[in-house]
Every structure is written in structure tokens, then in C-alpha cells.
Amino acid sequence: MNMVRARVVKHPDQWVHGGYREIQSPRRKCVLIDYDRLKKLCGFDDFESFQTAHRKWVEIAVGEEIPQRESTWTQAVAVGTETFVEKIKKQLKALAIGRRISPTKNGWELREEVSAYNAFLGAQKVDMDPINTYSWDDSVEISAP
């Protein structure tokens, strides 16, 4: 849906490199998606039923005036059950510092707090002071030692 939101294409099927085509027309070689696991994770017994549901979900999203990005999926490091998200945080070790696990309406997510740089760096919007201005003196010759 990223290319649809960016208005590069009108439908995900038009983006050759996208997951929509990968799901609707599975590859036989150089497979990128574990189709069996995907259908199971989504609660389907067979892949054809998942493909049908996937097509319907995309049609609904494309039918919206401007498909909306879901921050849970686009900004979180991990999304799923609390156990799964805790496992991912543990595996990240030092990379997990500053990231917190929080509940969502459908599960749990691991993400880091977003904060403005100004809040920590005390940035001020002011003009440069002439005291920080230096002129280049091109009359000085510099020789190598």
C-alpha cells in the first residue's frame, strides 16, 4: 500500500516489486514469502482462502479516499503477542534500550518513544553571531613540512 499512498500506482497489483503480487501470484523460484506460515499466522487452513481474503482487504483499503498508514505496522519494531514482543526485545539486547512494550487494540508492540530534538538539545532559532564569522586569508602561503 506504500506505493498507492505515495500515488505512484493506483492499485498494489501495478507495483511489480510489491508483496501484493507475491501473494496473489506466488513465485516458483526465488520465493520471498513463506506462504504456508503466512496463511497459518492469518488463521486460514488453505492458501487460496487467504489469497481471497487478502484481495478483499486490499480492495477495501484501495477504495478509501486516501489509504491511511497504520502506525502499529509502520513505526513499531515488533508487533504480536506479548510473549513474542518480549522475546524480540530480549534478542535485540542493547538495541532495545529506550524501546518499550505497550498494548495496542489487537496485541502488543515494541517501539521507541518519539521526541523532538529541541526538547533535549535546547536548540534556539537565532541568527549566527558575527563572533562566529571568520574570513579566509588567501594571501597566507602554507607549505608542507
Side-chain angles (χ1 to χ4, degrees):
M1 294 302 292
N2 287 337
M3 292 299 127
V4 174
R5 276 192 291 275
R7 301 192 194 291
V8 174
V9 296
K10 292 185 180 203
H11 192 279
D13 189 51
Q14 297 168 325
W15 187 248
V16 179
H17 310 289
Y20 181 84
R21 279 191 174 195
E22 191 78 19
I23 290 170
Q24 295 304 319
S25 302
R27 297 178 182 201
R28 290 185 176 176
K29 294 181 179 181
C30 303
V31 177
L32 299 174
I33 296 174
D34 182 342
Y35 302 110
D36 190 48
R37 181 154 177 135
L38 178 61
K39 70 159 172 114
K40 287 178 184 174
L41 287 171
C42 292
F44 290 88
D45 293 328
D46 61 275
F47 191 70
E48 293 74 22
S49 299
F50 170 73
Q51 283 177 306
T52 302
H54 178 256
R55 239 186 335 270
K56 289 178 183 176
W57 297 331
V58 169
E59 293 308 319
I60 291 168
V62 169
E64 296 175 4
E65 191 170 318
I66 299 175
Q68 295 299 311
R69 181 179 287 255
E70 294 183 40
S71 67
T72 295
W73 297 106
T74 59
Q75 296 175 356
V77 176
V79 177
T81 65
E82 186 175 16
T83 305
F84 171 77
V85 174
E86 286 174 350
K87 178 181 173 186
I88 296 299
K89 184 174 181 176
K90 185 176 179 182
Q91 289 175 342
L92 286 172
K93 298 179 182 172
L95 295 174
I97 295 172
R99 296 181 175 166
R100 64 182 174 78
I101 297 173
S102 56
T104 66
K105 63 181 177 181
N106 296 320
W108 295 83
E109 66 182 14
L110 174 65
R111 70 165 62 193
E112 59 189 334
E113 299 271 342
V114 178
S115 56
Y117 288 113
N118 291 351
F120 297 105
L121 302 177
Q124 298 175 358
K125 293 182 181 180
V126 295
D127 291 332
M128 292 293 288
D129 194 348
I131 200 166
N132 291 328
T133 304
Y134 297 95
S135 299
W136 181 261
D137 185 356
D138 60 357
S139 66
V140 176
E141 289 186 31
I142 300 173
S143 59

